[in-house]
Every structure is written in structure tokens, then in C-alpha cells.
Amino acid sequence: MTSLGNEGRDGFSSRFGIICAAAGSAIGLGNIWRFPYIAGESGGGAFLLIYLGFILMLGIPVMLSEFVIGRRGQRNALGSFKRLAPGKPWYFVGVMGIIAAFMILAFYSTIAGWTLEYIVKAISNSFAGKSSGEIEQMFNAFHTQAFRPILWQLIFMFMTVWIIMSGVRQGIERYAKILMPFLVLLLIIMAIRSITLPGAVEGLSFLFKPDFSAVDSSVLLAALGQAFFSLSIGMGTLITYGSYIQKKNKLGNLAIEVSMADTLIAILAGVAIFPAVFAFGVDPAGGPGLIFNVLPGIFQQMPGGYFFAIIFFVLLSIAALTSSISILEVVVAYMTEELKMSRRKATIMSALAATFVGLFCTLSFGPLKGLTITGLSIFDLLDYTASNLLLPLGGLMIVLFVGWYMKDADFKDELSNKGLLKVRIFGVLMFLLKFIAPVAIALILLNSLGFIGPVDGGTEHSN
Ligand code: TRP
């Protein structure tokens, strides 16, 4: 399945393979679990608009830059910088990315574990006949335990490791590409059911009617973090994948297609969830449990809901897997190329380390609930630090690198496949990369950290 790519390295053998991998990375729990819960905590409509603006103005340029750095550098996230900027400290961006990868994998596997549990709950028909209060109770009873959530987390990490090690990765990604249209179809059906529930209109206006009076710096930062998280940018996942892309593929098209697919799925998830949130009287700002408290209720009110629920949680778990392998791959590519470790050893060691941190994330909903640092649980602290701080900071450095360090001609050379393709709106892109993106990201980061503007510390992120 794997063909030799550039410079005799492993690579994606076809355009189809790259789209599968990049879209597989982007589309995951970020769209279906994280987007609704962050939007719910951040007030809805205005958040959505800001989020969409960030995808367009900041997300797509950063994604494109990552592809360019990776394909030109022909190395992992750290090695690519070393190669493109020898003797300069730019590789530190890669170091930050590897740290972020551990943090994200740790809490990602907690939530992925929950989705595995929900496959079993769906199969055993546990949602049938339950009121929305009982559904919330069921979720609470499950996720505050120690043993079961950890067991599922371990199973999920084991699957991630197995895929990375056994070379079935491209198989899984192709498989996922075929399955994801079903996930979209399912989301559309769920959205229709959700919108037609009594009391649903309120949810639609929550999601689509912007109320800018509620926007403060923490909302801006949350939207920025969510945009980066969902697109898988800011920590070198797409630098790593970029290095596997063949020289003949079109990076611009890839960045636009992946971003659009990712955004569409997040919006669909929002339309499926918020009407039901209001119809069932669930708190939209209720935190990471939102979809687990709401979705079972939707299935219950659908003809054939028993089967839809099973299929949905299976597809969601697969989407989570193609994302988690892309996170682990960042670390594994670094360890094998820079530290000359075997792929097997690198995978096992990095997964063990991430799982160790992950256990604390899982337990922070149960036995370790009381343990907070600066008011945040371990789970929230890792998510907040990685998504809202490290990813934007990484993205900032990445656009600065491409916009100011790299020669414009080199950037254009890579984008145009050595002049073969016509690069449209190059001027607009350069302007975004050099000025808009770095200034916007820096302002949002500084503002929310309290260095400029109103000091609110950005710690309203609650759970
Ligand atoms: N984007 C994925 C999701 O939405 C998660 C993910 C994969 C990710 N790779 C990443 C997030 C790199 C940040 C950085 O579920």
C-alpha cells in the first residue's frame, strides 16, 4: 500500500491516499464532540461566526504553510525546520508540537474511550425509554468511575498503536474515507430529527443568531483554539503528513478541500445537537459531556434509532482513530528520524507516555475531580494549554516562518510544483501570511493572557 515517496521515504501513493489521511486527521472528535461543547460554553452564534472567519483567514493559511514546510523539508515536524533553517532555533516549533502532541493524545483518548463505551451502551439498548434526566444520570454514573473509562481508554490507545505499528494505516484511512460520507449522511438524518423536535427552534437561534454582546477575549481565544484543533494545525501533524505528499500533488487544493470538509461536519454536528439540547432542556454550557447527554435522546426518538445509534458511535470511533494516529505519528516520525529509533520502539514508548498522562485526564472526571490547578481540572488544563495556547503559538511561528523567513520565491516554487501550476491569489495569500495571520493570532493570545486590553485571564473555560 505504501509506495516510495520523495527521496526514497515512505509516502502516500496517490492523491486519494493523501486526502484520506489529511481529512482523516482533521475530522474527528474535534468536530462532533468538541465543537458543540465549546460553542455551547461560548454563547453560540457569535462564536460560530468568529470560528468560521478564523478558519478562512487563519486556518487555511496555516494549513497550507504546514504542507509547504513538510514537503519542502522532507522530514518530521522538527527535522523539517532543521533542514529548511539550518543552525537556527526554528526547530523549537517542532519541539513545542511534540509536547502538544502528548497533551492532546492524553485527553483525546479519554473522550475516544467514552465513545467506545457508547457503542456498547447502544448495542445493549441502554438508551431505550430513558428520560433526558436519566440519560444524563447514566453518563454521570459512567464517566465518574475509574475502572471502566480507563479500560476503554487503554483499548483505544492499543488500537492506535496497533495501526501505527502494523502498517495497516493507509488501509484504515481509505476505509475511513469511504465511511465518512455515511457519517455525514447520519448527521443529516439526526439533524432533521433534532430540528423537528418540539422546542427545537431555540437551539437553531442559539447556534445561528449571533449575540456579539457576549463576546470577550476568552470567546475569541476559544474560537481560535477550536479552529486550530479541528483542522489539526499548529503542532506539525500536517508538516509530517506534508512530507509524505508527492511533489506532483496540489497543496492549495488539498488545504481548501480538507478545511471545507472539516468545517461542514462541525456545522452539521451543531445543527444535530443544539436543537435537541434545548428541546431536552440540557445545559448548552454543560461541558465535555454535552454530546453524550444529548445524542442518546435523539436516537431514542428516531425510527430505527437502535441501529442508527450503534452505527453512529462506531463511525465516530473510527473518525477518532484516524485522528489519534495522526497525532501519534508526529512523535513517532520524530523519534525514528531524529533519534534513529525503530518504529516499533518509538510507537510503544510514546504511546505509553501519552497513556500515562491520559490516565490522569480520565480520572480527573472521577476520583481526581477535586484536584485543580489554577481552577482547572487536569483534563481542562491539558486541553486549554494545548488547544488554546500551544496550537495558536505554533501556528503563529509557522506563518512567521513561511511569511518572513522563507523566501517568497521558495514558497511559490513549492506551491506551484516548481512553476507547473498557476498559483491564484498569491498576493492575497502572502498578505494573510505576512500580516493578517501573525498580527491576529498574536493579538488574541496577548489579549487573553492579559498583556493587552481587559484582563480576564481567559479562564472562563469551565467544566
Ligand atoms: N483534528 C482532530 C479532531 O478534530 C484532532 C487532531 C488530530 C489534532 N491531529 C491534531 C488536533 C493535531 C490538533 C493538532 O478530532
Side-chain angles (χ1 to χ4, degrees), residues 5 43 132 137 158 170 197 204 265 285 305:
S132 64
Q137 244 170 39
F158 187 81
Q170 296 213 11
L197 289 167
L204 284 177
I265 294 187

Side-chain angles (χ1 to χ4, degrees), residues 13-27:
S13 52
S14 68
R15 180 181 145 71
F16 185 63
I18 309 155
I19 299 191
C20 296
S25 169
I27 298 164

Side-chain angles (χ1 to χ4, degrees), residues 274-294:
F274 283 108
V277 164
F278 285 85
F280 300 153
V282 174
D283 176 11
L290 188 65
I291 67 163
F292 299 95
N293 285 328
V294 172

Side-chain angles (χ1 to χ4, degrees), residues 25-31 104 108 228-233 235 237 262 323-324 326-327 391:
S25 169
I27 298 164
L29 297 173
N31 309 60
I104 293 175
Y108 205 81
F228 278 48
F229 186 90
S230 192
L231 294 176
S232 298
I233 56 179
M235 60 157 247
T237 290
D262 186 70
S323 299
S324 66
S326 79
I327 304 171
L391 295 183

